[in-house]
Structure formats: C-alpha cells, structure tokens
Amino acid sequence: MKVVRALWDSWEDGAVIRDVDTGRYLDRSRLHHINFHGSRFAVRGPSITPRPPQGQPVVAVLAHGVADYRFAAQAADIVYVTPQDIDDARAVVTRLQAAQEQVGRPGPPLKIFADLLVLLDESWPAAADRRARWDELAGEPLTSDAEIFVGSPAVLAERLARWRAVGLDGFRLRPGSAADDLVAISRGLVPELRNQGLLPRVHEGATRATLRERLGLGRPANRYAA
Amino acid sequence: MTSSEPKPRKKQVILAAGFPHGSPWIAWSDPESRSQIDFSSISYAAQAAEAGKFDFFMLAEALRQREHKGEFYDLEISGRHHGLTVLTALAAVTDHIGLVTTSSSTYNEPYELARQLSTLDHLSGGRAGWNIVTTSDPQSGVNFRRGGYLPHEQRYERAREFVAAARTLWDSWPVEAVVGGQESGRFRGDPAAGSYRHRGGQFDISGRFSLPTSPQRYPLLIQAGDSADGRQFAIDTVDVVFSMYADPQAGRAFHADIRARAIAAGRDPRSIRILPGSQCILGDSVADARERSRVIARQQITPQNAIARLEQVWGRDLSGYDPDGPVPPVLASDEPGAPRYAGYTAGGRQPPAIAREWYERAQRKGLTIRELIIDVTLRHTFLGTPSQVAEQIDEAVQSDAADGYVLTGHTTSVGLDEFVKTVVPELQERGVFRTEYTGTTLRENLGLPAPAGPAPAGWEEPGEPDRG
Ligand SMILES: Cc1cc2nc3c(=O)[nH]c(=O)nc-3n(C[C@H](O)[C@H](O)[C@H](O)COP(=O)(O)O)c2cc1C
C-alpha cells in the first residue's frame, strides 16, 4: 500500500501544462520518482497515469483481528469488520481506536463499516423459511464470518440504528441472493432508513460527488507538493 | 460473415483506429486536441471509429514515464491509462467495434492477463484483441518486482510461452461446461472445468481458471515487433501483424517477407493480416494536403523535440545545435544513447548504427535536423483529397502493400473525424470497405475462422443425450 499510495501521488495535480511556447507538455518538476525499496518491492516510479480525480482512491480492508486492525489503521480509509452482536461491535470500535493511536494514523480516522449477511423478507418466518430451504439444498447450514441477519427490512433498519450508535460509520450488507435480497435492500430497507433519518432523502450535493466526498474523507494533499 | 454472401470481388480494406497517448504522432499543441485521459474523449474517439465502421480501436502501451538526460521527458504528450480497464469501459458504450489492448508479455503474468482479456471478450460480446509486445524499453523494469530485463531472444521465448499458457487457460473450460440449471442444482456441468496446468521454462502454473470460454475463445492476437525473432513469433502465433511499413514499397517487401516465412513454416499466408500504422492528411488538393502535412509535421516535431530525439540516438548533448540547421556528424566518441525511442526501430539495431544511417539519409536528402526527425519519425503516408486518399489506400491494399491500416489522427479524439466523414464513403463506394458490420465478433468481422481449440477431455458432441 505504501508503494501504491506513493505512485498515486507521483504526478502532482497540474503537471500537464501544454506550454506551446517552450514546447513543454509537462512541468517535469511536478513528476516524482518514488524510489521505493522494501523487502518485497523495489519501484522507481513515477506512475504512467496522472493523479486520479480523488487524489487517492478509497482503500478498504476487511479485518478480523488485531493484526488486521493495525494494517487497516496504517493503510486503509475504510475497514470492514464482522461483529457478532452489539457488545462485540462496541469492543471492535474500541480496539480499532487503539490500533489507530498505536500506529499514529495520520489524516482522518478510519471509517468503520460492519459487514452483515442479510436474508430479507416481508416477515421473519418467510426469511427463515428461505434460509432453511438453502440449508437443505446445500446439505449444510449457512455460515459466514459475518453475522447473518434473517428477517424483515424494518427490523434490520432498527438493528443498524442501534449498532451505529456504538460508533460504527456504516454497513456493508452482503445480500444472501442478488435476486431477492438486493431488491429487498433497495425497495424495503432504504426507505426504512430514510424514514429513520439514517440515510439522506436524496444524496446531498451533486450527483457528481466523488466517493471520498460522499464518505466525508476530503481530498488528501499530495506528499510531493511543495 | 455469412458464407452464403457472394464473395466480394476485391480484397477488402481493414481499418483500425489507433489512440496513442504518448507519441509524437499527436500534435498536442493543436487547440482541437483533447485530453487523452478523460473518458469522454476516449469514448468519443471509439464511437467515431465505430460510426466509420472501423474493424477495431486500439490502445498502445507504455510502462514507464520516459526520461531524457536524467530528467522526465516533457516535450511530448504523456500520461496514459491501463488499456484493458479503458477498453472494458468502452465495451459498454460501443456495440460492434473491436477493442484491442497492447499488453506486454515481458511484464505481465499469463493468469492475470488471460483473465482480463477473457473478461473483456465476455463483456464486449466477442470484441477483444491483444497486441502482444515484448516491450523494447529496457528501463521499464525499474517499476516491476522482477526488475531487470530479459535479453532480446529471451523476451520472445517468454512471449511464446506466455501465449501458449494463455491458450491453455482459455481452453480450460469445455464450451458446454456451464449448465446453471435449476433442476440439476449444479452450475458447472463438468466439475473439473477450469482445471489447468502449464509447465515450461518460463512458467510453471496450475490451478483453476475462473472464467468460462469467452465468445471468441481467444482474443484476436496481434503482434508488433520487427526483428527476425519478432516476425517468426508472428508467423507461429498471431492473426494480425501491426507493422511500421506504411510506405507502399516498403510494405510490399515486408508482406513478401511475412509470406515467405509463413510458407516456410507451413502456414497459409492468407491467414495473416498485415496492418501498418499510418496517418492520412487530407486537403482540397494534393498541394493543399502537402502544405497541411508540412504544418502538422511541425506541430508534431517541435524544434525542442527534434533536438531531443537526435540526442537520444547520438547519445550526446546537442542543445547547442540549431534544429533548422544541418545534422551534426556522428563522432567516434558518440556513445549509444539512453533508451532508443525515436519510433520503433528495427529490432537488434543499436543507436550508433542508426545514427550513421540517419546522418547519411540527411546528407543524401539535404535535410535539416528537424526535417530529418520528421522524415524518420512520421508516417504521413496518404496525402490528397478524400477520393485520392481512398484510391491510394485501395491500390496499396490490392497490390499487397498491406491488408489495411491502423490509422491515427494527429489530434486526440477528433483526429479521425474527417477521414470517417469523407474517405470512408469513398472506400465504400469503391466496394472495398463494409457499409455495415456483418459479424458479431471481431474475428468474424475480419473474416477469420473461429479458433477451434483442442478437443477437451470429456468433450461431448452436440446432440448427445441431454446432461440435465
Ligand atoms: C508498429 C509497432 C507498434 C508498437 N507498439 C508498441 C507499444 O504500444 N508498446 C510497446 O511497449 N511496444 C510497442 N512496440 C515495440 C514492440 O513491442 C517490440 O518490443 C519492439 O519492437 C522490439 O521488438 P523487435 O526487436 O522484435 O522489434 C511496437 C512495435 C511496432 C513495430
């Protein structure tokens, strides 16, 4: 990640000048060798691609334990975690805060997203029924590293609201099936969350917002800029 | 192509649109020239080529920001995307045109590249192509873990094995392996689908390939590289050769060489298409086109650029020379310059030999430094009115100077608009260029047979009992 992030910065914004008088397309003082030498990579750089619109694209890491938390604190913008219940969620948030302090994380704090595998239906029995059918088909019970939620969009919305209150920034929902659960998320869950004020009615700002802007991450300064 | 169609009387012209983002072929100072990074200008160019019924849209590749005399080279357009990623996005905004990436066999790995190409072929409905290059810039290694660089013969050895490994991967799913039936409850009809093993001097890989056979089975394979090794590799491996011999006379000599090599190797020479890279300059008359060519050439090769390119070949500082003055002699002390990159020079030749050749050329033709660089770098092959250019292209193709051309405009995005509007109808009028796409896949549009692939173990002929 150190190499990748350095490469994203290796062209400063505004490196392309198209100066017809001097025949210069680039301002070469705004391109930088990264000269990275590590135990696994040696990369001189710069990148061949100019700095992207977000400066640094959003980096996310799925983390299951303390070592992962430390890596996420050093390298990522978003960390996906897999708490099993609300107490666990609280504990994970505390551990992630500690990891960020430990590594002396620069820049904005990690955005913490909890992963949930969701099977949604009008009612709990209908959703539970589907899970049972899947278990039977597969010949073994459905398992996941993330908590499995089975029930209605309304109940899920309440659960998300409670979990959020302990310090989570967001959620990554893994739909059990694209055909049923993805549709249930957009048609059932999203309106519920809007009603509870947990999702903006319409995306604030323009439809053109970058992902970083949407996440409130801001555009990072370039390490090479004078 | 449907075989019931009457055979065209004349050999058909193949046209491809190049979108180079880093060459002197683009006059970036022209106010019409757009960004080579914004997706809107790339999609504009691809859609324009598709409106002109071009066979394919092609992206070049570079893996390193170029340097000159210890500094970043700032005189030419530079900065470019990862080609396959751009083409995958273009697949969504085009319907017919082929999408060809240039990707190095030296700095990629077969599994990764084969997968990306397969994805492109799937998402585009069979329009993927791969221009295989071995990367002539020895400095690119500084950006790769493996570092270093392979000697010339080993680069082609790796390229051969790379393609063989990629084919093994593309063949790893029997065509009918995806069942996906509700009743069967199985997704793969053959549980071993995707299993592969490739073992050779360059690669020893095995595992499961993650994608089913794509519409073309193999992307269209193209080769660009001019050495004897490169040409032999082309004969043994690819469907299309991307050459630098745009001049019809040189083109015929190249065509004859490829033909002789194909026959010697037992390959039908008609199964190989040769497409030189070229530029057309249009005007109201020949004289007008000549004048436009002169102006454009001077935008493409600026005075600063002319000196820098000469320095790259001479290998010494020439900043004191007048670009509009005579070409300096080659001194015994002249060192082979840093990376040669004044165009793609014939394989194996070293800068001192090139310098002597260029010097003699300048003497013979009485060229200044800038005129020499224009002469050796640019390929304004076809000049004239639209109907004259169409005639020149038709004649060149009928006389086997080429099977068609990879054309690049001199301005980014909009550079081929005039050609599409004025020359394409002339070519269609002459009956040598399609008026509609007739095939679905890129291979079909080029009139190439679908690759048969090996008969995989467990292959079942169509019509066998249902596998339910
Ligand atoms: C017409 C043409 C286009 C080429 N385009 C590229 C390119 O886009 N990227 C690249 O790395 N090399 C490109 N090459 C260079 C070849 O990859 C090859 O590395 C080089 O020509 C050296 O091989 P050779 O010794 O066989 O000529 C091109 C070569 C030719 C002739």
Side-chain angles (χ1 to χ4, degrees), chain B residues 149-453:
Chain B
Y149 195 48
L150 293 171
H152 192 269
E153 342 63 80
Q154 277 181 39
R155 266 183 278 152
Y156 278 108
E157 194 182 307
R158 183 178 160 99
R160 280 173 190 277
E161 211 185 302
F162 196 116
V163 176
R167 285 196 169 123
T168 302
L169 293 164
W170 291 324
D171 284 335
S172 65
W173 284 63
V175 171
E176 77 299 356
V178 178
V179 179
Q182 295 261 326
E183 304 81 42
S184 69
R186 286 179 308 154
F187 181 68
R188 296 180 199 215
D190 170 0
S195 301
Y196 74 90
R197 157 130 229 181
H198 171 91
R199 234 179 159 158
Q202 301 282 333
F203 309 102
D204 183 353
I205 49 176
S206 62
R208 280 286 182 93
F209 190 55
S210 58
L211 286 166
T213 310
S214 68
Q216 294 188 104
R217 178 176 283 269
Y218 309 145
L220 180 74
L221 296 178
I222 301 176
Q223 179 268 0
D226 193 50
S227 62
D229 286 345
R231 292 181 187 197
Q232 205 53 47
F233 168 72
I235 300 297
D236 298 338
T237 318
V238 303
D239 309 296
V240 173
V241 179
F242 179 27
S243 94
M244 48 193 209
Y245 300 104
D247 169 68
Q249 205 179 329
R252 276 185 286 274
F254 182 75
H255 197 284
D257 178 72
I258 293 293
R259 190 184 156 79
R261 284 173 189 272
I263 291 167
R267 175 170 178 181
D268 177 357
R270 284 166 308 177
S271 69
I272 308 176
R273 309 282 192 272
I274 299 173
L275 306 178
S278 172
Q279 294 195 299
C280 296
I281 310 288
L282 299 166
D284 298 334
S285 63
V286 174
D288 182 39
R290 282 239 161 76
E291 177 53 22
R292 276 183 88 181
S293 161
R294 210 187 64 84
V295 172
I296 291 167
R298 281 165 184 272
Q299 282 180 308
Q300 291 170 314
I301 305 292
T302 60
Q304 297 89 339
N305 192 306
I307 296 293
R309 285 186 166 259
L310 202 69
E311 287 176 337
Q312 286 150 24
V313 174
W314 262 241
R316 67 176 149 118
D317 177 53
L318 301 171
S319 54
Y321 283 83
D322 176 5
D324 295 318
V327 175
V330 184
L331 306 179
S333 62
D334 281 350
E335 278 301 308
R340 56 186 166 113
Y341 50 75
Y344 295 107
T345 46
R349 282 194 307 155
Q350 289 307 304
I354 300 168
R356 276 191 292 278
E357 192 186 304
W358 284 13
Y359 180 71
E360 279 157 26
R361 187 168 176 151
Q363 292 292 303
R364 198 169 63 241
K365 297 184 165 182
L367 303 175
T368 64
I369 291 177
R370 196 172 179 192
E371 288 164 349
L372 170 70
I373 298 300
I374 287 171
D375 194 53
V376 296
T377 310
L378 301 181
R379 274 170 247 149
H380 293 184
T381 318
F382 303 109
L383 293 169
T385 64
S387 84
Q388 286 168 328
V389 165
E391 184 180 351
Q392 291 162 20
I393 291 176
D394 185 10
E395 267 172 19
V397 168
Q398 304 310 327
S399 66
D400 284 343
D403 296 303
Y405 294 89
V406 179
L407 299 177
T408 348
H410 72 280
T411 48
T412 305
S413 288
V414 295
L416 288 175
D417 286 3
E418 202 183 347
F419 183 93
V420 165
K421 233 186 312 164
T422 63
V423 183
V424 166
E426 295 276 353
L427 288 168
Q428 290 167 336
E429 190 65 26
R430 302 177 80 88
V432 292
F433 192 63
R434 72 172 63 79
T435 51
E436 288 303 334
Y437 289 100
T438 48
T440 312
T441 67
L442 174 54
R443 284 177 179 278
E444 282 167 10
N445 278 317
L446 288 169
L448 292 167

Side-chain angles (χ1 to χ4, degrees), chain A residues 190 193-195 197-204 214:
Chain A
V190 168
L193 292 173
R194 286 213 173 115
N195 284 341
L198 289 170
L199 269 185
R201 302 238 142 233
V202 202
H203 256 300
E204 308 125 60
R214 208 156 268 176

Side-chain angles (χ1 to χ4, degrees), chain A residues 11 18-26 28 31-33 40 42-50, chain B residues 28-29 33-34 36-37 62 64-65 67 71-80 142-143 145 304:
Chain A
W11 285 57
R18 292 177 182 253
D19 185 16
V20 177
D21 290 340
T22 57
R24 289 180 312 144
Y25 178 81
L26 291 176
R28 65 186 177 208
L31 261 60
H32 303 275
H33 290 128
R40 287 168 206 276
V43 178
R44 185 164 151 84
S47 171
I48 187 82
T49 312
Chain B
W28 57 260
S29 61
S33 214
R34 297 197 197 165
Q36 82 281 17
I37 296 296
R64 184 186 76 109
Q65 193 63 30
E67 293 176 27
E71 303 269 14
F72 294 117
Y73 195 52
D74 54 6
L75 301 175
E76 288 176 14
I77 190 170
S78 69
R80 56 173 84 207
V142 299
N143 287 334
R145 175 167 53 178
Q304 297 89 339

Side-chain angles (χ1 to χ4, degrees), chain A residues 24-224:
Chain A
R24 289 180 312 144
Y25 178 81
L26 291 176
D27 174 355
R28 65 186 177 208
S29 69
R30 296 195 197 189
L31 261 60
H32 303 275
H33 290 128
I34 67 164
N35 282 326
F36 184 89
H37 292 279
S39 58
R40 287 168 206 276
F41 304 104
V43 178
R44 185 164 151 84
S47 171
I48 187 82
T49 312
R51 194 164 191 244
Q54 299 188 98
Q56 299 266 324
V58 174
V59 175
V61 169
L62 172 62
H64 289 121
V66 174
D68 295 354
Y69 294 164
R70 236 179 271 127
F71 170 63
Q74 283 167 330
D77 302 296
I78 295 175
V79 60
Y80 299 127
V81 291
T82 52
Q84 303 300 307
D85 55 41
I86 189 160
D87 293 329
D88 195 18
R90 200 176 286 120
V92 167
V93 169
T94 309
R95 265 179 254 140
L96 275 164
Q97 277 158 353
Q100 293 179 78
E101 273 163 40
Q102 235 176 41
V103 304
R105 176 181 171 89
L110 272 173
K111 296 279 175 191
I112 307 171
F113 282 42
D115 276 13
L116 281 171
L117 175 60
V118 297
L119 271 78
L120 296 174
D121 223 312
E122 308 269 290
S123 65
W124 178 81
D129 220 39
R130 184 144 57 90
R131 179 178 185 169
R133 257 184 295 129
W134 284 5
D135 288 351
E136 200 188 321
L137 257 178
E140 58 191 0
L142 177 65
T143 57
S144 170
D145 58 329
E147 169 70 355
I148 302 174
F149 175 89
V150 182
S152 70
V155 175
L156 177 58
E158 280 163 29
R159 157 106 51 117
L160 299 188
R162 266 183 284 118
W163 282 31
R164 212 182 107 95
V166 304
L168 294 173
D169 297 291
F171 300 90
R172 178 170 67 165
L173 304 179
R174 306 184 195 166
S177 92
D180 297 318
D181 299 306
L182 201 53
V183 175
I185 287 171
S186 65
R187 303 233 177 105
L189 181 66
V190 168
E192 285 287 346
L193 292 173
R194 286 213 173 115
N195 284 341
Q196 300 188 18
L198 289 170
L199 269 185
R201 302 238 142 233
V202 202
H203 256 300
E204 308 125 60
T207 43
R208 276 268 150 205
T210 67
L211 182 56
R212 288 192 82 91
E213 284 163 359
R214 208 156 268 176
L215 294 169
L217 285 168
R219 193 171 192 273
N222 190 322
R223 76 196 62 196
Y224 296 108

Side-chain angles (χ1 to χ4, degrees), chain A residues 11 16 18 25 49-51, chain B residues 19-22 26-28 30-45 57 59 77-81 86 411-415:
Chain A
W11 285 57
V16 173
R18 292 177 182 253
Y25 178 81
T49 312
R51 194 164 191 244
Chain B
F19 189 84
H21 346 222
I26 292 292
W28 57 260
D30 190 309
E32 285 209 335
S33 214
R34 297 197 197 165
S35 162
Q36 82 281 17
I37 296 296
D38 285 353
F39 184 66
S40 60
S41 60
I42 306 171
S43 60
Y44 178 94
F57 180 79
L59 296 173
I77 190 170
S78 69
R80 56 173 84 207
H81 289 300
V86 170
T411 48
T412 305
S413 288
V414 295

